[in-house]
Amino acid sequence: MPQNVYHCSNETIKKMEQAYNHTLVSSPPGAVFRAKTDDAVITAYKSGKVMFQGHAAQKEAAKWNGIAQIGETKSANQPNEDEQTSNLAEKNHIGSDESGTGDYFGPITVAAVYIEQKQIQQLKQMGIQDSKKITDRNVLELAKAIATKGIPYSLLIMHNKKYNSLQKAGWSQGKMKAMLHHHAIQLLLKKIESAPYEGIVIDQFCTPIVYKNYLASENEKLLNHTLFKTKAESYSIAVAAASVIARASFLKEMDKLSNQLGFPLLKGAGNKVDQLAAKIIRLKGEEVLYEYAKVHFANTNKAMQYSNNW
Ligand code: MG
């Protein structure tokens, strides 16, 4: 029997209990409640775990938008995605990854890369791996090497102005990432036309259900044969290459922004970044940050305090 396990707040569990009020059955030890609907059996535990079981377990859980999935098992007679996509990384496949999401200054960049089976060894030998494990200089060189080899890729850059206006309009960063990955992969699929591929690997940043919900909110659907994987850079060379291309683009954009501004911007979101933001506010005015930074980060408030105390 398919079963999905989630972690929920007490508040959510209370809401669930009310919603399933008319379908409650006797609950097992340690449970807050158990409900039995036509589609699923829902059991909530005092620990905050909520289990959805039954043929429509996932559909039932999806009604509870945004709850965090912590485990999933599927019945033996259902197609198992893990089996279908096992060794995907050893076949022709697509991978996508992003950069800049944790950096206060600069854009978000997302790349998708198409790798053919016969290129995999060669790319590994080139030293392509998770961009976080490579120096900035090597990232730039490897990105150039990938482009020179003619490996098909797509690259999207969400500049700060756009980022800030979407954020103001209610988009979470997760939704922006999901839409950027989705569009980058679609762009790449157009580029490679009918070249064969076995599947798509996305470096996982939220649960598959949340990702699907983000797409659905913009009338988009998950592309077929998509596999979400944490630490996907070490699993798939296409994701590793995408991480290199996205990072290289982020570094180049940071250089451009630094030139435009007249002094070097800093990566990350630490205390030095707060101080730099304060300097920008003092010299150029607060509104300038809108074009250089992700203004909803806590750094903005800290920078305001610094500049007020100047
Ligand atoms: Mg990633």
Side-chain angles (χ1 to χ4, degrees):
M1 183 164 61
Q3 141 178 334
N4 295 261
V5 187
Y6 295 80
H7 197 270
C8 300
S9 64
N10 283 339
E11 203 185 337
T12 306
I13 289 177
K14 260 185 208 155
K15 276 187 201 161
M16 285 178 174
E17 191 173 11
Q18 278 166 12
Y20 294 120
N21 185 27
H22 56 291
T23 53
L24 294 179
V25 294
S26 70
S27 49
V32 181
F33 74 86
R34 172 172 277 174
K36 206 171 176 180
T37 71
D38 290 340
D39 294 324
V41 176
I42 305 102
T43 314
Y45 292 93
K46 287 171 190 154
S47 63
K49 275 185 192 168
V50 180
M51 199 158 70
F52 291 79
Q53 294 165 292
H55 68 275
Q58 195 160 352
K59 196 176 133 205
E60 187 63 32
K63 291 178 186 169
W64 298 94
N65 199 351
I67 57 176
Q69 186 164 9
I70 52 177
E72 182 179 11
T73 51
K74 283 179 174 162
S75 67
N77 55 9
Q78 261 202 334
N80 184 324
E81 195 167 33
D82 282 344
E83 276 165 26
Q84 277 177 0
T85 51
S86 67
N87 302 326
L88 176 55
E90 305 303 324
K91 300 169 185 164
N92 293 1
H93 72 286
I94 286 168
S96 66
D97 199 12
E98 81 278 338
S99 188
T101 53
D103 299 273
Y104 177 63
F105 291 115
I108 294 185
T109 56
V110 175
V113 175
Y114 170 71
I115 299 286
E116 286 179 70
Q117 187 173 29
K118 59 183 183 209
Q119 299 167 316
I120 292 173
Q121 265 321 312
Q122 204 189 356
L123 289 169
K124 281 184 183 165
Q125 279 160 10
M126 274 166 65
I128 289 171
Q129 54 171 322
D130 182 359
S131 64
K132 291 190 278 299
K133 295 181 183 159
I134 320 174
T135 62
D136 287 353
R137 214 168 113 195
N138 281 343
V139 163
L140 292 167
E141 274 170 18
L142 283 173
K144 217 186 253 174
I146 292 167
T148 313
K149 282 204 166 304
I151 288 166
Y153 71 88
S154 63
L155 172 68
L156 291 177
I157 302 171
M158 184 179 277
H159 294 285
N160 295 96
K161 246 184 171 171
K162 177 88 179 172
Y163 179 100
N164 290 320
S165 70
L166 285 174
Q167 200 277 327
K168 266 195 170 171
W171 285 46
S172 65
Q173 196 193 68
K175 180 170 172 179
M176 294 184 217
K177 279 196 267 188
M179 296 315 294
L180 286 167
H181 275 263
H182 184 66
H183 289 314
I185 294 162
Q186 280 181 319
L187 260 176
L188 178 61
L189 287 173
K190 246 186 210 168
K191 235 184 213 180
I192 64 170
E193 293 178 342
S194 52
Y197 69 98
E198 300 286 330
I200 301 161
V201 185
I202 296 180
D203 187 31
Q204 182 168 338
F205 52 87
C206 63
T207 65
I209 288 178
V210 169
Y211 185 93
K212 283 179 210 167
N213 286 343
Y214 285 142
L215 298 192
S217 70
E218 296 299 314
N219 297 319
E220 293 285 334
K221 263 193 186 152
L222 186 68
L223 296 159
N224 286 335
H225 312 298
T226 299
L227 174 70
F228 294 92
K229 229 175 162 57
T230 50
K231 300 206 178 88
E233 303 94 342
S234 33
Y235 166 76
S236 148
I237 194 79
V239 175
S243 83
V244 166
I245 289 168
R247 187 68 185 163
S249 164
F250 176 77
L251 294 173
K252 282 186 213 159
E253 291 301 316
M254 284 290 272
D255 273 352
K256 275 191 218 166
L257 290 172
S258 298
N259 285 334
Q260 219 171 288
L261 192 66
F263 43 86
L265 289 173
L266 295 170
K267 298 189 281 278
N271 184 253
K272 286 194 171 147
V273 165
D274 302 337
Q275 293 176 23
L276 178 55
K279 181 177 161 186
I280 294 171
I281 293 170
R282 282 198 312 273
L283 295 177
K284 314 239 175 188
E286 189 196 343
E287 63 287 349
V288 169
L289 285 180
Y290 209 77
E291 288 168 48
Y292 291 91
K294 302 174 187 85
V295 294
H296 69 111
F297 277 32
N299 303 83
T300 302
N301 279 337
K302 288 184 200 154
M304 291 298 287
Q305 279 165 21
Y306 276 123
S307 66
N308 288 339
N309 296 333
W310 187 252

